[in-house]
Amino acid sequence: DGIFDISNRRRLGRSEAQLVQDMYDGVKAMIDAENALEKKGGAAPAQAAPAGAPAAAGAMVKAGPHLVDIKQLTGPVEFPAGTKSLVCKYLTPEIFNKFKGTKDKAGVPFELMVLSGCQNIDSGIGAYAGSHDSYSTYAEFFDKIIEDYHGHKKDGKHISNMDHTKLKCPPFSKEDDAMIISTRIRVGRNLAAYPLGPGITAAQRNECEATVSKVLTALDGDLKGKYYPLKGMKKEDQDKLIADHFLFKEGDRFLSSCGLNREWPDGRGIFHNDAKTFLTWVNEEDQLRIISMEKGSDIGGVFSRLSRGAAAIEKAAKFAHDDHLGYITSCPTNCGTALRASVHIKLPLLGSKANKADFEAIAAKYFVQIRGIHGEHSETDDGIFDIPT
Ligand code: ADP
Ligand code: ARG
């Protein structure tokens, strides 16, 4: 029945409040389009052909799933024609030769930062930073990816604003609200004291878990909750938390390639309050993913609880942050706000194959992305989508 996850696409160079606004505006436009289609009886417009991307040339090591170790990256990488990732676009032979064999200040090899995109040629981006310093030491590479993805220039400054009163999100009408199943907003954070996930040691990860879980379990009021380590969690409890959209999945191949899944499940876990409206993932892709979610479409309420919770955690934990990139995350798509605001929404007509081009055009216009409802890289089988800002 056409359910999607619709969320903001941009994360950097704009405030948190502006990104939540992106999501609201995009969702509103999609609802209007869905309603218009319903009136018309669901007629399908012609579909536009997707644009192709040029391949990199003159390389020595072929990209593909056989690349499982950085030792195999002995020369510039040749991607198959049609590869669309930003690693394919910006890991030129010049950049590769300039940085091969070097490490950032935390000791993370450059090759580890690009291995995911070289191994997984279906990546959208394909790069992960090993530490906060990776973004400076390899600025010549990461700044291009960041400008391409976010439109944020190499001298751009990032300014945060988590003030929910700045939102212009009037409540949806009763009919429109009925299309929205749930709302979720998350921000990613990493501790200033440690490298990012690809570069962290097992001991540092455990230390990070101990610090973060202590901060989280000291929260009070409606944020008060418990920390549940993944290690020792019953399989059925873990599966239920995943199925109910609260917990991360495991075994993401993009994260495996950059070393983010080492020593799984050690050091990983989830904190949540009793109502499961305020949660934090610990040591998945980022050291913290702070999450506010609930059924229904009260975007302002969800954002305000998130900003309260994130501020309370930040009082007790120093996060990696700078003026250019805002909050620092391992994936360059998340730097800045690291915020993804999404709704799960039923769009059976707009979301049908026949209307794909229109659906994607609205998503592009409002800077929102369309996911399936079982997390990133999931397809929608039942017409509900995750629309992030
Ligand atoms: P992230 O937001 O951290 O990038 P995913 O897209 O993988 O990660 O989603 C993580 C989990 O959150 C998945 O189980 C997904 O279904 C759930 N989720 C995302 N948006 C919503 C929403 N609006 N309502 C309910 N669950 C959601
Ligand atoms: N590395 C993956 C890719 O390039 C994921 C990128 C964005 N998602 C994320 N979870 N960081 O397609």
Side-chain angles (χ1 to χ4, degrees), residues 11 85-87 116-117 120 122-128 149 186 252 254-255 284-286 289 330-334 369 371 376-377:
R11 317 245 195 272
S85 72
L86 297 186
V87 157
S116 190
N120 302 289
D122 56 341
S123 292
I125 294 79
Y128 293 89
Y149 186 86
R186 58 83 165 162
D252 181 295
F254 302 91
L255 298 183
E284 194 247 4
E285 178 175 329
D286 289 302
R289 285 282 173 98
S330 54
C331 180
T333 62
N334 281 315
Q369 48 178 246
R371 296 183 178 183
E376 187 175 28
H377 306 119

Side-chain angles (χ1 to χ4, degrees), residues 291-337:
I291 300 161
S292 171
M293 63 196 283
E294 64 188 43
K295 297 274 177 214
S297 67
D298 180 6
I299 296 173
V302 170
F303 186 48
S304 112
R305 181 171 53 241
L306 177 76
S307 76
R308 232 171 355 99
I313 299 170
E314 190 158 19
K315 261 197 194 155
K318 187 164 167 26
F319 294 142
H321 181 275
D322 66 44
D323 290 347
H324 170 46
L325 293 177
Y327 290 104
I328 302 302
T329 55
S330 54
C331 180
T333 62
N334 281 315
C335 279
T337 58

Side-chain angles (χ1 to χ4, degrees), residues 13 30 47 55 63 80 86 120 125 138 155 160 204 206 233 247 253 257 265 276 286 289 291 296 330 376 378 383-384:
M30 287 174 175
Q47 248 177 270
L86 297 186
N120 302 289
I125 294 79
Y138 303 117
D155 51 1
S160 272
Q204 286 173 323
N206 291 339
M233 189 184 283
L247 181 62
R253 67 188 155 92
S257 328
K276 298 204 189 81
D286 289 302
R289 285 282 173 98
I291 300 161
S330 54
E376 187 175 28
S378 67
I384 306 188

